[in-house]
Amino acid sequence: MTEEGSEDVTLERAVPEGRQRKRRLARSTAIFAAATGLSRLLGLVREVVAAYYFGATGRINAFTVAFQIPNLVRALVADVALSSAFVPVFSELLEKGDRKRAWRVASSLFWLMLLGLGALTALFMLIAPFVLDAFGNPGGDKALAVGLSRVLFPIVAMLGVSGIVVGILNSYEHFAVPALTPVFWNLAIILGLVIGVPQAHTTSSKLYVYAVAILIGTLIQVLLPIPWLRGRDDRLRVVIDIHDPAVKRVFLLMLPVTLSLGLINFNAVVDTLFASRLIDPQLAPTAIDKAFRIYMLPQGMFSVAVATVLFPALSRLAARGDETGFRDTVSLGLRQIGFLLIPASAVSAALAEPIVRLLYQRGQFHPGQTPVVAGALAAFSAGLTFNGTMLMLNRAFFSLQSNWIPTMIAVANLALNAILDAAFYRLGIWGIPLATSVVNIAGTAALVYLLRQRLHRLELTTTLEAYVLIAISSAVAAGAGFGVWWALDHELGRSLVAQLFSLGLGLAAAVDAYLICAILLRIRELGALLSLRPRVRVR
């Protein structure tokens, strides 16, 4: 070994274990965020293409409502709900060295979910007309909504088995491939729209093309990560062991997780009910959905990345009984989410209309629809950070296997959401997203209080101090971004190139202003990003 190499090893060993863990988690978060960010950007491209072909008025609202039901069932019994219950149990078995049993449990759950969710899918396809009665006549064509929902329901069974595969990979701290699978999901849908829609001759047949493209994309998403299971401690086998206590424990944990995450998604269904029945069935459901898709870009890039990367680590710390490490990791996650989402919230609210105009306003998406979607986006943005912190706090409770606490909060949030929807829908379409934001704030406050009771301490003072500094920097960033965009917009006009230039420079100005403020105010969370740079070697 060279002298330089010896010094590197010495320096590496000198770094405290806590710093090394934080740096490793920051790196994993950055990789996951980049992969998820690519997926979300392609998701926006998908929405841009869909908006071009279908706009936001008319029968596209039948599609929006039709997708709500299988999406709700997926949230209740598959995908994130399943992996959130599975990862703590699987990680605990790995931590104890019982790897063969861990894989037997995973195999049993794989086949149980495939069979159970296959039967559930068949049932919901049968009763779809009765389920959709609650939504009235979305898009003016209820029969179309029923047919589209039947095409889309099989994604529930597919994403059920995907939850097991992704849970295994995440337990081994492999995040990149699961984060990249939605990239191919979006690509499949975009290709399906671009190739298939021009060949269809009616609006209904074009919407069926959209639904089939989603089905094919989901199949690709499920199959793609399976090869990365090779080379682990074992493999998935054809076995169903319902007598293993660990299998039973996953289902016991899954019940409150299912209710918790499902109720969060059920709020979206309640929102759609109010939008479709009481506001405008020809515009409101899709306008809210289009705003929600933009809102989910920073959510998916940042809070989902942080929570997903920290979840296995939290599960292992909980299994070891390391309360100090657990508390520090949760607090770290909350501060990272705040550092990333507070500026995103401020900037997306300030620049909501130019963002919507640039992304959607073409083809069948007319200028009159832009301010409606922009208003919904600004209202969603008010709760962006709190939605991210709720996700982090829910994962903390799931790691502690205290799954009923987030469930109780979710039930309370559901009731509050319905009350606020009933009060705020009179404000117009943007009142529904505003109700969601208020619910996110209330849910975060309740989860913080209960987790602090459980852990006795949660570094709240440090976190709140960081949030104040971040909020100040974010306000400066939003002002800088809006000022640059406004000046250029008035000078350059509204051509596509001009919009790209004015909005792009506005966003760049916002990022620069935020980073400068973060440096001047010495916001510690900036250090997590800077720690990703290669260390300078000491000679």
Side-chain angles (χ1 to χ4, degrees):
M1 183 180 292
T2 64
E3 181 180 346
E4 181 182 15
S6 298
E7 291 180 5
D8 288 339
V9 172
T10 301
L11 285 172
E12 188 72 25
R13 289 175 178 168
V15 178
E17 184 180 347
R19 278 184 57 196
Q20 291 226 28
R21 183 176 72 248
K22 290 180 181 179
R23 190 173 189 273
R24 184 175 66 252
L25 292 174
R27 185 187 298 113
S28 296
T29 302
I31 294 170
F32 189 93
T36 307
L38 177 60
S39 168
R40 299 290 179 174
L41 287 172
L42 280 173
L44 275 182
V45 173
R46 182 196 75 229
E47 290 300 313
V48 167
V49 173
Y52 176 81
Y53 285 123
F54 303 113
T57 58
R59 289 184 175 179
I60 182 62
N61 290 275
F63 179 92
T64 302
V65 170
F67 195 35
Q68 286 280 358
I69 305 304
N71 199 45
L72 172 62
V73 177
R74 171 200 63 80
L76 286 170
V77 293
D79 200 15
V80 176
L82 176 58
S83 62
S84 295
F86 169 73
V87 167
V89 175
F90 190 77
S91 297
E92 183 178 344
L93 291 172
L94 293 180
E95 186 69 23
K96 292 178 177 177
D98 201 351
R99 300 179 183 274
K100 187 174 182 62
R101 183 184 171 203
W103 278 84
R104 185 175 179 84
V105 168
S107 300
S108 297
L109 290 166
F110 181 94
W111 293 107
L112 285 170
M113 297 309 296
L114 181 61
L115 295 172
L117 293 181
L120 189 64
T121 295
L123 173 64
F124 270 92
M125 291 174 72
L126 182 66
I127 65 173
F130 307 102
V131 174
L132 287 167
D133 276 343
F135 294 88
N137 194 30
D141 196 337
K142 180 192 167 187
L144 175 61
V146 171
L148 290 169
S149 70
R150 285 172 167 162
V151 173
L152 291 164
F153 260 116
I155 68 174
V156 174
M158 294 183 195
L159 291 174
V161 297
S162 176
I164 296 296
V165 174
V166 169
I168 292 171
L169 292 174
N170 286 350
S171 295
Y172 283 95
E173 297 194 348
H174 186 101
F175 302 103
V177 171
L180 283 170
T181 52
V183 170
F184 296 92
W185 183 78
N186 284 309
L187 285 173
I189 297 170
I190 292 167
L191 287 173
L193 288 171
V194 171
I195 296 171
V197 168
Q199 309 302 317
H201 302 296
T202 65
T203 301
S204 296
S205 59
K206 291 176 181 180
L207 288 169
Y208 275 109
V209 168
Y210 194 1
V212 171
I214 289 176
L215 202 62
I216 294 171
T218 304
L219 181 61
I220 294 171
Q221 181 180 355
V222 172
L223 296 177
L224 193 62
I226 290 178
W228 273 265
L229 295 177
R230 296 175 183 173
R232 309 291 166 184
D233 298 302
D234 207 332
R235 61 185 178 85
L236 291 173
R237 303 175 184 275
V238 182
V239 59
I240 298 179
D241 185 358
I242 59 174
H243 300 293
D244 191 312
V247 174
K248 296 178 182 178
R249 187 146 52 95
V250 169
F251 284 114
L252 287 174
L253 290 172
M254 188 177 168
L255 177 60
V257 175
T258 290
L259 291 173
S260 177
L261 294 176
L263 286 169
I264 291 170
N265 285 272
F266 194 73
N267 283 337
V269 176
V270 173
D271 292 345
T272 303
L273 279 169
F274 275 91
S276 182
R277 279 191 168 273
L278 299 177
I279 302 180
D280 184 352
Q282 297 285 341
L283 173 62
T286 298
I288 293 171
D289 184 66
K290 292 297 183 189
F292 182 77
R293 300 299 173 179
I294 302 174
Y295 159 83
M296 285 303 294
L297 177 62
Q299 189 70 262
M301 287 179 66
F302 302 136
S303 62
V304 172
V306 172
T308 301
V309 169
L310 294 184
F311 186 37
L314 288 171
S315 298
R316 287 193 297 274
L317 290 166
R320 296 173 193 163
D322 185 355
E323 187 172 297
T324 299
F326 186 92
R327 183 170 53 239
D328 291 346
T329 303
V330 171
S331 300
L332 171 68
L334 291 176
R335 291 195 298 272
Q336 285 184 342
I337 286 172
F339 182 76
L340 296 166
L341 286 190
I342 293 174
S345 172
V347 173
S348 64
L351 295 175
E353 189 158 333
I355 290 171
V356 171
R357 183 184 299 114
L358 176 62
L359 290 175
Y360 292 144
Q361 192 175 296
R362 59 185 59 82
Q364 296 300 311
F365 194 101
H366 304 303
Q369 300 166 16
T370 295
V372 178
V373 177
L377 174 59
F380 270 130
S381 297
L384 177 62
T385 305
F386 299 97
N387 188 287
T389 53
M390 281 183 66
L391 180 63
M392 182 72 236
L393 293 165
N394 280 336
R395 294 297 176 92
F397 280 110
F398 297 157
S399 301
L400 294 167
Q401 300 186 27
S402 299
N403 296 356
W404 283 106
I405 292 177
T407 303
M408 291 187 295
I409 299 301
V411 171
N413 282 347
L414 178 62
L416 179 61
N417 186 70
I419 293 169
L420 292 176
D421 277 350
F424 289 176
Y425 84 88
R426 295 174 177 83
L427 299 173
I429 291 174
W430 67 275
I432 301 298
L434 180 62
T436 299
S437 293
V438 175
V439 168
N440 289 339
I441 295 170
T444 295
L447 287 169
V448 166
Y449 174 79
L450 292 172
L451 186 61
R452 187 170 182 268
Q453 293 293 106
R454 173 67 183 269
L455 299 177
H456 310 297
R457 188 167 59 84
L458 201 57
E459 298 185 17
L460 285 182
T461 301
T462 302
T463 301
L464 289 174
E465 287 174 353
Y467 272 36
V468 168
L469 297 178
I470 291 167
I472 293 170
S473 303
S474 300
V476 173
F482 183 85
V484 170
W485 166 79
W486 185 85
L488 291 174
D489 183 65
H490 279 69
E491 289 295 325
L492 301 177
R494 297 283 171 82
S495 69
L496 178 60
V497 174
Q499 287 186 72
L500 282 169
F501 192 73
S502 58
L503 181 59
L505 286 184
L507 292 173
V511 171
D512 288 344
Y514 180 65
L515 292 176
I516 290 170
C517 286
I519 293 170
L520 293 176
L521 295 177
R522 298 183 178 180
I523 297 175
R524 289 193 312 168
E525 283 58 46
L526 181 61
L529 297 177
L530 297 178
S531 72
L532 300 177
R533 299 177 303 177
R535 286 192 297 269
V536 178
R537 296 191 171 191
V538 180
R539 300 190 62 87

